[in-house]
Amino acid sequence: MNFEHEPILISRRSFLEASILAGAQLSAAGLLLGLHSHSSQAALLQAKTGMAKSEDTDTSGVSPNVFVHIAPDGMVTIICHRSEMGQGIRSSIPVLIADELGADMKHVKIVQADGDSVYGDQNTDGSNSIRGFYEDLRRVAATARMMLVEAAARQWKVSPDSCVAEEHFVRNKSGEQKLGFGELANLARKSPVPKVSEVKLRPNSELRYVGKQLPLIDGPAYVTGTALFGADIRLPGMLIAIIARPPVVGGTVAHFNPLSDGKAALTIRGVKHVIQIPAPKAPYGFQFWGGIAVLAENTWSAKKGRDALQIKWNHGKNETYDSGKFREELLRAVRTPGKIVRNLGDVDATIKLSQRTLDGEYYVPHLPHVSMEPPVALARFEKGHCEIW
């Protein structure tokens, strides 16, 4: 499968503004499909109107309750409501939706969804992005496809069962007639929205891409360095924070006075603030790990400021932890005969009958479950509100 386009970055705010404007102009064209997932992951399909006001108006962006947008120019915008963390989800979810819809990926834009409860569970973990939303997302696309097919059938005065949506067109199986998705967007707005119970998925045999080896849509951007990460975002007046962490898990700051112990950091050009972070409490899971943060106008100043800090640490009970000794404890535990809680067959007899046996011990040291790139979040506090990337 060859994608000859690159994902297009779209302003979420501009599309929200355009969507509000479009909603007020019922004569506007376009078709929007939304899915709302409850905690049970059940799909609630609903239709809303959106539109392309003119060629200059960006109407293919994201709306909090929208997964699919079909514009009159034929462009299909697909929302990815899960986070891309290297598992290729920004490729698999849009392709899944496009496959069920019958869209051509050359005419598809991918928009990353904002964090919003209307999308249901947005956690990116446990391989749940496809496993938990597979049929729901297909129903979203199938609803749009059925509305396009119904619009074409109404135009041709034939049964919808005699039409098929494929390769960005709806075709009449019994004739040469065909209409593009863009041509049908306005007509589809007039089609009744199928009830969830009425939505029919394609036979798996009609899916062209599901289960196939596909390219990573964002791959070229990763390779060329054009992909945008949290660390790439810059806002007016933004400060960069770098934190001096406790050198031992569970450690705390024994003593620190920003005016005296942070004085050297504050003299570095660009450094604006030195702030102590609340100490963590066991168990040390997903929480702040404490330390001292240096806020500066740029990364280099923040780093130099951190290096200039004079911090006295209380390392805590983990100061004497020895990973080598811990390994020996684990090995002793493995080698000690354990209590048998279940016994199936005769292992000892089987081993005696074997012509060849292998013994081995495998040890894996502590491994941090973190990404290679710096984990970064950006927050803007303004007029009592906080906006987070």
Side-chain angles (χ1 to χ4, degrees), residues 330-377:
L330 293 176
L331 291 173
R332 282 195 298 270
V334 168
R335 294 163 183 167
T336 301
K339 179 182 177 181
I340 298 176
V341 296
R342 188 179 184 187
N343 192 0
L344 297 176
D346 192 337
V347 174
D348 294 332
T350 302
I351 291 177
K352 288 180 180 180
L353 294 174
S354 300
Q355 295 181 354
R356 184 182 181 189
T357 61
L358 297 174
D359 289 317
E361 291 178 340
Y362 300 88
Y363 173 77
V364 178
H366 295 302
L367 298 174
H369 185 57
V370 297
S371 53
M372 290 187 293
E373 73 277 4
V376 172

Side-chain angles (χ1 to χ4, degrees), residues 155-158 170-179:
Q155 188 81 350
W156 298 327
K157 295 181 173 56
V158 298
V170 175
R171 306 177 190 274
N172 186 347
K173 297 178 184 178
S174 60
E176 299 296 328
Q177 297 162 306
K178 71 176 183 177
L179 288 170

Side-chain angles (χ1 to χ4, degrees), residues 6-7 45 84 115 131 154 169 181 239 255 263 372 385:
E6 294 185 4
L45 304 181
E84 174 62 72
R131 185 173 61 190
R154 187 172 65 248
F169 288 91
F181 281 9
L239 298 179
H255 176 270
K263 183 177 180 180
M372 290 187 293
H385 296 275

Side-chain angles (χ1 to χ4, degrees), residues 128-378:
N128 196 46
S129 297
I130 294 297
R131 185 173 61 190
F133 287 86
Y134 182 78
E135 290 195 358
D136 285 351
L137 293 174
R138 284 188 64 182
R139 288 191 186 96
V140 167
T143 302
R145 171 175 51 77
M146 291 173 66
M147 295 175 72
L148 291 171
V149 167
E150 198 281 333
R154 187 172 65 248
Q155 188 81 350
W156 298 327
K157 295 181 173 56
V158 298
S159 169
D161 293 336
S162 66
C163 303
V164 61
E166 58 186 13
E167 298 179 349
H168 233 71
F169 288 91
V170 175
R171 306 177 190 274
N172 186 347
K173 297 178 184 178
S174 60
E176 299 296 328
Q177 297 162 306
K178 71 176 183 177
L179 288 170
F181 281 9
E183 299 173 276
L184 292 167
N186 297 342
L187 297 173
R189 285 188 65 240
K190 303 175 183 179
S191 299
V193 181
K195 297 179 181 179
V196 177
S197 58
E198 298 173 345
V199 175
K200 297 180 180 179
L201 302 182
R202 288 180 184 272
N204 289 337
S205 59
E206 291 186 7
L207 296 175
R208 301 175 57 196
Y209 306 124
V210 170
K212 306 285 196 311
Q213 185 70 33
L214 299 171
L216 190 67
I217 290 177
D218 291 329
Y222 297 154
V223 174
T224 59
T226 58
L228 293 179
F229 297 89
D232 298 316
I233 299 176
R234 291 293 182 268
L235 298 175
M238 188 178 81
L239 298 179
I240 302 294
I242 290 184
I243 302 172
R245 307 280 188 184
V248 178
V249 174
T252 58
V253 177
H255 176 270
F256 185 82
N257 186 320
L259 296 180
S260 56
D261 302 324
K263 183 177 180 180
L266 291 169
T267 60
I268 294 176
R269 183 178 179 180
V271 173
K272 298 298 181 182
H273 306 284
V274 176
I275 302 173
Q276 184 171 348
I277 300 175
K281 296 180 180 180
Y284 308 109
F286 295 99
Q287 60 174 312
F288 292 111
W289 278 50
I292 306 296
V294 176
L295 280 67
E297 295 176 340
N298 56 74
T299 303
W300 182 250
S301 295
K303 182 179 183 301
K304 298 296 290 184
R306 180 196 60 182
D307 296 341
L309 293 174
Q310 301 295 320
I311 307 174
K312 295 180 180 180
W313 298 102
N314 175 13
H315 298 306
K317 64 180 182 180
N318 290 323
E319 182 178 16
T320 59
Y321 172 82
D322 186 320
S323 58
K325 292 181 179 179
F326 183 62
R327 173 178 179 172
E328 293 302 319
E329 291 179 14
L330 293 176
L331 291 173
R332 282 195 298 270
V334 168
R335 294 163 183 167
T336 301
K339 179 182 177 181
I340 298 176
V341 296
R342 188 179 184 187
N343 192 0
L344 297 176
D346 192 337
V347 174
D348 294 332
T350 302
I351 291 177
K352 288 180 180 180
L353 294 174
S354 300
Q355 295 181 354
R356 184 182 181 189
T357 61
L358 297 174
D359 289 317
E361 291 178 340
Y362 300 88
Y363 173 77
V364 178
H366 295 302
L367 298 174
H369 185 57
V370 297
S371 53
M372 290 187 293
E373 73 277 4
V376 172
L378 183 147

